[in-house]
Amino acid sequence: MIGVVDSGSGGLSVLKEITRLLPGEKYIYYSDNAYCPYGEKSQDFIMERMRTVSEYLMGEGADIIVVACNTATSAAIAGLRGLYADPSSEECRERVLKATGGRRDHVKFIGMEPAVKPAALGTKTGIIGVLATVGTLKGSKYLTSKGNVEDNVTVVEHVGRGFVELVEAGRLDGPEVETTVEKSLRPLLDAGSDIIVLGCTHYPFLLSVMERVAGPGVRFIDPAPAVARHLVDVMVQEGLISGAETDPALQQKKPDARLVASGEDSTLKNLFNMIYVRG
Ligand code: DGL
């Protein structure tokens, strides 16, 4: 079983890409929406939440966990890997054996990657935009990928202010959404960005509004398909792929996913139904 976690419903945009590749797998999705947004919370707070949720997911049957949240990846992925992913550490083995009821001695974690590199390779104006939360933009993972960009490419960034809250309220279009999107996108557009990286898993839910605001000539990059491909590679290495996953008949169906929320779950259920009806 694959565990997927986000601060809210945003990680469904990643689940959707994963289930395209692995439609026959079983999933458990955890929305930590009682504590959402994570964007401006401390690293220690997010680490503590991710620890609690990860152990819960392991106890419910997760054999591998996707942190479908850029902010939580930034704050906690290294810590989570240290605690649960290293079978050569006795403490790690004990911890995971306990959390999984003896089923596994380690659990791998897949995180989000800021797609700065593909954006930098694809830009024609030499200017790329990054939209993300405060936590992601301050995080070492993002700062490292930004530091690796060639000198002839300029990276401009902006927080998607209010985007997470809109998605959590199930508001994906309309005048209020357009105004909110315009405010955060405009500085990136005015700077001349022709490619904009979606550095938060909630943002793809606002993509049609962003495309309308940006107009033609601006492309948005979502790292989720690359993360899904990486998950498949790790599952193969871990011997977790069962073989039924790629059956094309399964691709037409809703995945076998259990949805869990620490808070109210109506948006989670609605967005889940929406993404699998729309395809
Ligand atoms: N989906 C989370 C991310 O990718 C949203 C962060 C938040 O809760 O503020 O960063």
Side-chain angles (χ1 to χ4, degrees), residues 28-209:
I28 177 165
Y29 181 98
Y30 194 98
S31 157
D32 198 20
N33 60 346
Y35 300 93
C36 186
Y38 278 1
E40 296 191 36
K41 298 221 166 46
S42 74
Q43 188 166 347
D44 287 350
F45 178 86
I46 297 172
M47 181 62 208
E48 209 35 55
R49 288 303 305 153
M50 293 310 289
R51 206 179 154 151
T52 304
V53 174
S54 298
E55 292 197 7
Y56 168 78
L57 292 173
M58 289 179 208
E60 295 300 304
D63 300 312
I64 189 160
I65 294 178
V66 180
V67 180
C69 176
N70 297 70
T71 313
T73 298
S74 210
I77 200 101
L80 292 169
R81 287 180 176 144
L83 287 170
Y84 307 112
D86 176 12
S88 69
S89 144
E90 189 163 332
E91 285 173 353
C92 169
R93 281 203 311 273
E94 270 174 22
R95 206 174 279 122
V96 178
L97 284 167
K98 187 166 170 232
T100 61
R103 211 178 62 251
R104 292 192 61 82
D105 67 357
H106 72 286
V107 164
K108 293 275 184 192
F109 283 78
I110 308 296
M112 298 304 297
E113 286 293 332
V116 173
K117 194 174 168 190
L121 291 173
T123 179
K124 292 194 175 61
T125 59
I127 300 159
I128 63 170
V130 178
L131 267 182
T133 66
V134 173
T136 298
L137 294 175
K138 278 197 317 209
S140 59
K141 207 166 176 143
Y142 168 68
L143 292 174
T144 306
S145 33
K146 186 174 139 182
N148 289 336
V149 164
E150 300 288 332
D151 290 344
N152 58 354
V153 174
T154 304
V155 183
V156 285
E157 54 207 33
H158 208 280
V159 172
R161 289 257 174 244
F163 290 21
V164 171
E165 290 81 352
L166 284 172
V167 174
E168 287 302 309
R171 289 207 290 277
L172 308 184
D173 208 338
E176 184 199 355
V177 178
E178 197 148 330
T179 310
T180 305
V181 165
E182 165 85 32
K183 270 191 199 140
S184 292
L185 208 51
R186 184 52 52 200
L188 304 183
L189 299 172
D190 287 350
S193 319
D194 61 343
I195 300 190
I196 293 175
V197 175
L198 301 179
C200 168
T201 57
H202 280 74
Y203 299 173
F205 283 104
L206 303 177
L207 182 61
S208 50
V209 178

Side-chain angles (χ1 to χ4, degrees), residues 18-29:
I18 298 171
T19 57
R20 271 190 221 284
L21 301 183
L22 301 170
E25 275 292 335
K26 283 192 168 43
Y27 295 89
I28 177 165
Y29 181 98

